[in-house]
């Protein structure tokens, strides 16, 4: 086999993903560590998140009164629960380096999940290196500590579950993603189509429809002012 044929095989044959995915993850893990140690952290929303959580921890449950340096809390309840945990783990948000490593783990875990989704979709290997070269993604996860990472992680859990026909688990994961950040609503039309296609699987449609109803109900309970964040 000549060199050109070998390169085409490496770029298009999914069997090579068995070694390519671990190699890309290892390389990106090293890159994440390098970014954390060498690139200055950028303060944008982390401090405001922690100030809002401090208000929540103090007992405030009115969205309009849970405020931080950037204004009142505008994210749903799941965001509060996630950052409440980070508040405790990172010494009330003061240990930013630890937070960065937590987000690095989140990034790498999400990346592995995305690769799993792509493999189930039979994406060719030449696409996978593109997943690890995004400057924007590294910045969002490692230098700004935005909540987008948790929302996207839950979203790809949902996508993977739907690929595996795990309707209940997928809808719960999508609901959690939506409970962190409402921008996940952009994906809702695709989720609706996937659930509708369950009709082609006969009895599965009943479960798909019931999960859609459950999704709507859970979001009604967990989103928007003036409903409170439960203890």
């Amino acid at each position: 086999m000549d060199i050109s044929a070998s390169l085409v095989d490496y770029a298009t044959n999914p069997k090579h993903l068995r070694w390519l995915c671990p190699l890309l993850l290892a390389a990106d893990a090293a890159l994440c560590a390098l970014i954390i140690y060498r690139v200055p952290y950028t303060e944008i929303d982390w401090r405001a998140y922690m100030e809002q959580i401090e208000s929540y921890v103090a007992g405030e449950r009115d969205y309009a009164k849970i405020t931080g340096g950037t204004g009142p809390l505008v994210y749903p309840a799941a965001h509060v629960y996630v950052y409440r945990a980070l508040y405790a783990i990172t010494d009330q948000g003061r240990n930013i380096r630890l937070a960065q490593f937590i987000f690095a783990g989140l990034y790498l875990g999400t990346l592995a999940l995305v690769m799993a989704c792509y493999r189930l979709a039979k994406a060719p290997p030449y696409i996978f290196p593109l997943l690890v070269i995004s400057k924007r993604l590294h910045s969002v996860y490692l230098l700004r500590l935005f909540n987008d990472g948790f929302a996207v992680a839950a979203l790809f859990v949902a996508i993977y579950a739907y690929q595996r026909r795990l309707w209940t688990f997928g809808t719960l994961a999508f609901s959690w993603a939506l409970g962190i950040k409402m921008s996940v609503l952009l994906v809702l039309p695709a989720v609706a189509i996937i659930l509708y296609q369950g009709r082609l699987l006969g009895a599965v449609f009943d479960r798909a429809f019931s999960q859609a109803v459950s999704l709507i109900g859970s979001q009604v309970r967990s989103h928007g002012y003036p409903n409170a964040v439960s203890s």
Side-chain angles (χ1 to χ4, degrees), residues 159-226:
I159 291 172
Y160 184 80
Y162 287 141
Q163 286 179 302
R164 292 291 189 180
R165 303 294 191 268
L166 302 173
W167 306 108
T168 300
F169 185 74
T171 302
L172 288 173
F174 181 77
S175 180
W176 182 254
L178 190 57
I180 295 173
K181 194 162 188 176
M182 292 293 288
S183 58
V184 178
L185 274 174
L186 294 171
V187 187
L188 187 57
V191 171
I193 291 172
I194 290 172
L195 294 177
Y196 177 77
Q197 287 177 334
R199 295 186 69 174
L200 303 178
L201 302 178
V204 170
F205 173 67
D206 292 333
R207 178 177 296 178
F209 181 77
S210 67
Q211 295 314 312
V213 173
S214 173
L215 170 64
I216 294 171
S218 67
Q219 298 313 313
V220 168
R221 290 191 296 271
S222 66
H223 289 98
Y225 177 79

Side-chain angles (χ1 to χ4, degrees), residues 25-226:
L25 284 168
D28 209 358
L31 177 60
C32 288
L34 183 65
I35 291 172
I36 290 173
Y37 282 113
R38 294 298 182 89
V39 181
Y41 161 75
T42 305
E43 174 56 49
I44 297 180
D45 284 336
W46 174 259
R47 187 174 302 166
Y49 291 163
M50 294 298 104
E51 290 170 350
Q52 292 165 351
I53 296 304
E54 186 174 358
S55 178
Y56 169 75
V57 170
E60 185 58 69
R61 296 296 182 268
D62 188 332
Y63 263 83
K65 296 179 181 179
I66 300 178
T67 62
T70 58
L73 174 65
V74 296
Y75 298 114
H79 160 88
V80 176
Y81 302 145
V82 168
Y83 278 84
R84 172 64 180 90
L86 291 172
Y87 178 86
I89 295 171
T90 61
D91 188 22
Q92 300 180 2
R94 288 187 286 265
N95 193 338
I96 293 176
R97 178 59 55 84
L98 175 58
Q100 288 182 288
F101 277 108
I102 291 173
F103 273 80
L106 174 68
Y107 167 76
L108 293 170
T110 304
L111 179 60
L113 185 58
V114 171
M115 288 180 174
C117 292
Y118 275 38
R119 292 186 70 176
L120 283 177
K122 302 187 185 305
Y126 69 82
I127 291 178
F128 286 71
L130 301 177
L131 297 174
V132 305
I133 62 175
S134 170
K135 179 180 178 181
R136 173 65 176 167
L137 281 179
H138 289 96
S139 176
V140 166
Y141 279 87
L142 306 178
L143 303 179
R144 289 168 171 80
L145 312 181
F146 289 159
N147 60 357
D148 303 74
F150 290 96
V152 169
L155 174 60
F156 272 97
V157 169
I159 291 172
Y160 184 80
Y162 287 141
Q163 286 179 302
R164 292 291 189 180
R165 303 294 191 268
L166 302 173
W167 306 108
T168 300
F169 185 74
T171 302
L172 288 173
F174 181 77
S175 180
W176 182 254
L178 190 57
I180 295 173
K181 194 162 188 176
M182 292 293 288
S183 58
V184 178
L185 274 174
L186 294 171
V187 187
L188 187 57
V191 171
I193 291 172
I194 290 172
L195 294 177
Y196 177 77
Q197 287 177 334
R199 295 186 69 174
L200 303 178
L201 302 178
V204 170
F205 173 67
D206 292 333
R207 178 177 296 178
F209 181 77
S210 67
Q211 295 314 312
V213 173
S214 173
L215 170 64
I216 294 171
S218 67
Q219 298 313 313
V220 168
R221 290 191 296 271
S222 66
H223 289 98
Y225 177 79

